Amino acid sequence: MPATALSDARLDRDAKEPLWQQLVAVLRDAIESGVLAPDQALPSEADLIDRYGVSRTVVREALAELVRRGQIYKIRAKGSFVAPPRRDLSFIGSNAGSSEDLAGTGRTVATRILSLDDGEADEQEAAALRVPEGTAVIRMRRLRTVDGTPWLLVQTTLPRDRFAGLLKAHLENRSLYDHLRRTYGVAPAGADRWLKAIIPSPEEASLLELPAGAPALDIVSVAWDEDGVPFEYYHALHRSDESRFYVGVR
């Protein structure tokens, strides 16, 4: 970073606001204005101490706050870096699927079908879809990537009788909800979703390209149509290190 990039900023020792908060504001403004670009290194702790005449404690408190806000990240023995902006995604709190939510972001989205077959509903699937155990169902496992990075690994279960022909459908890089809407006239009117953080299995971590022991967001969802009939049950793992979710409460 050019030595003069933040040279115009000054801290006010007579202000009521603590020096570490002032430094947070300086660095935050530099990030949000583009003076500091995504993945660009911040000045070192020693540089910040010399530039603003503050203690190491002030600098570390400021950097810790920026890490907490998700605006910078740290790499051991290398320093602090500007965090890439995280997209606000709303599908957790909406009836739209993840494809629809991503469609307007300008990002490159791809969906790979890992498996598509039929079977009999187990106890959990039957309870979610309100059908007897053993009812014929379709199971589909997909891996969605965003800008080439694995983003969502999802196992979906649908009642086979209601969606006859789905096993022969071409769903690669297509929205499942859009296909159900166009082909069967079925669209979600509501959904219940449960979220928790888990450690994926080795196979799941490999598909999501996560290091061993890294957490993922576990999502269980049951969607129903306008008549209140459940038509979709899914269990997904979301790699949430590059995005955040928006849930509006009104």
Side-chain angles (χ1 to χ4, degrees):
M1 187 184 72
T4 59
L6 296 172
S7 60
D8 293 337
R10 294 289 183 271
L11 305 185
D12 184 358
R13 283 164 173 73
D14 295 325
K16 293 182 179 179
E17 186 179 31
L19 290 174
W20 71 268
Q21 290 184 1
Q22 294 183 48
L23 183 55
V24 167
V26 168
L27 296 173
R28 182 196 63 217
D29 289 346
I31 292 169
E32 294 178 353
S33 66
V35 171
L36 293 171
D39 295 312
Q40 181 176 348
L42 272 68
S44 68
E45 289 186 4
D47 287 341
L48 291 171
I49 290 169
D50 291 342
R51 183 172 300 180
Y52 298 107
V54 293
S55 68
R56 187 172 299 274
T57 298
V58 167
V59 170
R60 289 184 172 176
E61 286 183 353
L63 295 178
E65 175 64 14
L66 290 169
V67 169
R68 188 189 67 79
R69 296 184 183 189
Q71 290 189 287
I72 69 171
Y73 62 93
K74 290 190 172 186
I75 299 178
R76 186 181 297 274
K78 290 188 176 181
S80 300
F81 299 81
V82 178
R86 294 189 174 192
R87 304 283 183 169
D88 286 345
L89 302 169
S90 61
F91 86 89
I92 288 295
S94 77
N95 292 337
S98 57
S99 289
E100 284 85 349
D101 195 36
L102 288 162
T105 65
R107 307 177 79 178
T108 301
V109 182
T111 302
R112 178 159 59 100
I113 307 298
L114 302 178
S115 63
L116 177 61
D117 51 31
D118 58 359
E120 297 181 349
D122 61 24
E123 182 179 1
Q124 193 170 31
E125 293 168 327
L129 295 172
R130 298 184 205 160
V131 298
E133 281 188 59
T135 296
V137 294
I138 294 171
R139 297 189 183 100
M140 177 168 53
R141 196 181 193 210
R142 295 166 289 164
L143 179 65
R144 178 156 294 138
T145 61
V146 179
D147 295 335
T149 300
W151 189 81
L152 188 75
L153 177 65
V154 56
Q155 171 86 33
T156 302
T157 304
L158 304 139
R160 190 175 68 183
D161 288 348
R162 188 168 188 182
F163 300 110
L166 187 64
L167 288 171
K168 298 180 181 179
H170 178 68
L171 296 171
E172 198 89 355
N173 294 321
R174 291 190 61 187
S175 163
L176 175 62
Y177 278 8
D178 183 61
H179 180 77
L180 297 183
R181 187 182 302 113
R182 292 173 179 269
T183 307
Y184 303 96
V186 176
D192 288 319
R193 294 191 175 120
W194 296 264
L195 291 78
K196 65 180 180 180
I198 68 165
I199 302 299
S201 70
E203 186 257 356
E204 292 165 339
S206 177
L207 287 169
L208 289 169
E209 297 181 9
L210 286 172
L217 185 65
D218 180 275
I219 308 167
V220 173
S221 174
V222 178
W224 59 86
D225 61 20
E226 59 184 7
D227 295 321
V229 178
F231 69 90
E232 179 206 39
Y233 166 73
Y234 76 65
H235 183 193
L237 290 177
H238 173 65
R239 177 176 167 167
S240 55
D241 55 339
E242 295 187 355
S243 61
R244 64 181 182 178
F245 290 107
Y246 164 78
V247 179
V249 178
R250 302 289 187 270

